[in-house]
Amino acid sequence: MAKEERFPRLARDAAQAVGLPADYETEQLAYFAHVVSEADCFIDVGANKGVYAFLANSVMRGAEIYLIEADPTLAESLQTATLCWPDNSNNVSVLGVAASDANGKLPFYASEADTLGSLSRSKYNSSSMISVETSRLDSLVPSKGANTVTVIKVDVEGFEYRALRGAEKHLQSPLTRVVAELHGWGDPEAGKYPVHVAFLMAKYGFAIERIAGTFSYSFKKASLRRRTASCAIYLPYLFIKYVARRIGIRSLLDRVNAKL
């Protein structure tokens, strides 16, 4: 079966396997399956229900797979669920901790929708708060070296900048790939938003590409010329969104839409 057909099918199977609708993020998951199929190590930052890790386990062989999840309830569920995953000779580990730029503790804001919990507080996740352990990604999963293809997926509902700041050694590695959802509400406490994530990744030599017209982005090491070209496309867009949010235009639009 051609990869163009195989990866969307595996994406649908993975979504259903973890209790999500079959059409959940099919394009993003299929893109991810292609990227991770060439990797030796996959690190799932913000694993949630484990759909990306389940998919990685489906296409990788003899690899290291790490599921990092701050929500204690979800982490416990993942510990149980991964025991039942197909044995494809991968080493699968679940780490119940939050990836950040420092080791310690931070408040985790839970949500009625378990996909929206985060260390970054927003209107989507202020239902309750608990304290969770935090650790730099470099401490949780030491870099495997320059010859190891490592894929990092980040979906932490606005906390992307601090999660990636703690992955400095991974980002320095020439074969690291990153797939991240950049959420517009960002991390107000740290004053960091998607545009800052893009600048950070460019600093470490990554070009940026938007996936399937969504707020998911792929980052891959590239030449200065390619990085400059990709930044010229995406940074103005992310900067305009950042300015709109900081001066309150986005909040105003949200209030108007709520009244309509």
Side-chain angles (χ1 to χ4, degrees):
M1 181 182 294
K3 288 184 178 180
E4 290 76 11
E5 299 176 2
R6 175 177 175 243
F7 289 147
R9 177 181 60 79
L10 288 173
R12 291 189 290 270
D13 290 346
Q16 290 183 300
V18 302
L20 293 168
D23 59 353
Y24 177 82
E25 296 187 359
T26 302
E27 288 185 272
Q28 298 98 303
L29 284 167
Y31 179 95
F32 165 79
H34 172 71
V35 171
V36 83
S37 66
E38 303 171 354
D40 307 302
C41 175
F42 170 56
I43 306 172
D44 191 350
V45 181
N48 200 262
K49 293 180 180 294
V51 61
Y52 279 81
F54 185 95
L55 181 53
N57 185 61
S58 298
V59 300
M60 301 173 78
R61 296 293 182 271
E64 300 283 334
I65 298 176
Y66 299 90
L67 290 76
I68 299 174
E69 176 52 52
D71 186 320
T73 301
L74 286 172
E76 184 176 351
S77 297
L78 287 170
Q79 290 279 10
T80 302
T82 54
L83 297 176
C84 302
W85 287 6
D87 183 1
N88 290 324
S89 302
N90 296 312
N91 184 18
V92 180
S93 304
V94 177
L95 305 176
V97 63
S100 184
D101 57 352
N103 300 335
K105 287 189 175 184
L106 282 175
F108 178 87
Y109 301 97
S111 170
E112 293 181 4
D114 56 19
T115 58
L116 296 175
S118 176
L119 281 79
S120 177
R121 187 169 189 174
S122 74
K123 65 178 182 179
Y124 303 105
N125 61 15
S126 57
S127 59
S128 62
M129 186 270 285
I130 58 173
S131 179
V132 299
E133 297 286 342
T134 67
S135 178
R136 292 175 58 86
L137 187 58
D138 285 337
S139 300
L140 288 172
V141 184
S143 175
K144 306 297 181 178
N147 296 321
T148 300
V149 180
T150 298
V151 173
I152 304 173
K153 165 252 169 185
V154 181
D155 183 4
V156 286
E157 305 299 317
F159 203 71
E160 299 86 37
Y161 184 88
R162 280 197 265 182
L164 288 167
R165 278 283 295 127
E168 180 179 22
K169 292 182 180 178
H170 287 286
L171 298 183
Q172 289 173 342
S173 178
L175 298 181
T176 293
R177 293 282 304 268
V178 176
V179 176
E181 289 194 359
L182 303 185
H183 297 279
W185 54 84
D187 183 0
E189 182 178 336
K192 301 298 182 181
Y193 295 83
V195 67
H196 299 102
V197 176
F199 274 117
L200 175 70
M201 298 303 286
K203 169 188 171 183
Y204 282 103
F206 290 87
I208 180 173
E209 176 187 358
R210 198 173 182 184
I211 303 173
T214 66
F215 48 83
S216 294
Y217 291 84
S218 173
F219 299 91
K220 184 179 181 179
K221 294 280 185 170
S223 66
L224 177 60
R225 181 177 179 180
R226 186 175 174 189
R227 295 200 309 272
T228 302
S230 71
C231 286
I233 295 171
Y234 294 106
L235 284 181
Y237 165 73
L238 293 173
F239 182 74
I240 290 171
K241 289 186 67 177
Y242 163 68
V243 171
R245 186 168 293 275
R246 289 306 299 265
I247 65 177
I249 293 177
R250 183 58 186 265
S251 298
L252 176 61
L253 290 175
D254 288 343
R255 290 197 296 270
V256 170
N257 288 332
K259 294 180 179 179
L260 295 179

